[in-house]
Amino acid sequence: MTAVTDFLLNRSSEPRLEAPAPDSKTLERAFSCAARAPDHALLRPWRYLVIEGKGLEALGELFASTCANNSDEKEIEKLRRAPLRAPMVIVGIASPRTHPKVPEIEQVMSAAAGMSFVELALQDAGFGVMWRTGGVAYHSSVYQGLGLDEHEQIVGFLYTGTVSASKPTVPRPAVDEFVSHWP
């Protein structure tokens, strides 16, 4: 196997992130990797929002706005502070188009693959990343607040920055636990 395989086998999500975030040159390279995701019919059914600085506070307010009126104040504050866990959040957005040969699900998977490529490129550049979703990734007020069109959906929030503290290795399942041969 190659260095790429070794890199993938050592990939991990990093929840403890601080400044600095990736610079514009690193981001451009990572997004160039995203453009290499499998994309049936070259529809490019994805786009990304980069949020940092005061935008993280605004995103937190948007997250907090998803709570019902009777929500616990701790829950609201947790959502409000969530984007502040990293100096940058990248929002991956699936933007599917109507196409006679490419169903919407394939386009959403393309967007998710692109998000994964961004994640891997940022890790390769030395940054930590954590891909998150949760209820806010599916909430209409978040879609509206971020300016998503009606046909778009969020595939994830990619928190990124410099790793501030290492975490224990996460055990992975043995391959025979999730792979079988058919018939």
Side-chain angles (χ1 to χ4, degrees):
M1 295 280 184
T2 68
V4 172
T5 302
D6 290 338
F7 174 76
L8 291 171
L9 289 171
N10 289 300
R11 188 212 70 77
S12 69
S13 295
E14 297 294 343
R16 295 173 189 92
L17 302 167
E18 63 186 12
D23 59 27
S24 60
K25 186 175 180 180
T26 302
L27 284 176
E28 184 174 344
R29 191 157 168 85
F31 290 130
S32 293
C33 290
R36 302 296 299 188
D39 179 13
H40 189 181
L42 301 175
L43 297 175
R44 293 167 181 79
W46 21 253
R47 65 186 184 95
Y48 301 90
L49 297 175
V50 177
I51 303 172
E52 52 190 329
K54 295 281 187 194
L56 296 171
E57 293 173 17
L59 184 60
E61 291 301 325
L62 194 54
F63 285 3
S65 76
T66 66
C67 290
N69 292 337
N70 61 349
S71 294
D72 180 337
E73 190 57 41
K74 286 183 181 180
E75 178 186 353
I76 295 170
E77 189 58 25
K78 181 179 178 183
L79 286 171
R80 185 176 282 124
R81 296 185 52 70
L84 303 176
R85 292 182 283 202
M88 178 183 287
V89 176
I90 298 168
V91 186
I93 301 167
S95 189
R97 294 163 176 78
T98 302
H99 192 278
K101 293 183 180 179
V102 186
E104 182 176 321
I105 187 64
E106 284 187 26
Q107 297 179 56
V108 173
M109 289 188 288
S110 176
M115 184 79 148
S116 189
F117 286 9
V118 170
E119 176 185 28
L120 293 170
L122 292 175
Q123 284 189 319
D124 188 45
F127 292 95
V129 295
M130 174 70 82
W131 184 335
R132 296 205 179 254
T133 53
V136 295
Y138 311 105
H139 203 283
S140 61
S141 66
V142 173
Y143 284 26
Q144 184 178 20
L146 292 175
L148 273 66
D149 287 335
E150 240 180 64
H151 71 285
E152 295 181 314
Q153 59 189 301
I154 292 171
V155 295
F157 298 96
L158 192 64
Y159 291 72
T160 188
T162 301
V163 176
S164 63
S166 60
K167 65 178 187 76
T169 302
V170 176
R172 302 295 178 182
V175 172
D176 63 359
E177 291 179 34
F178 61 93
V179 175
S180 57
H181 295 270
W182 185 88

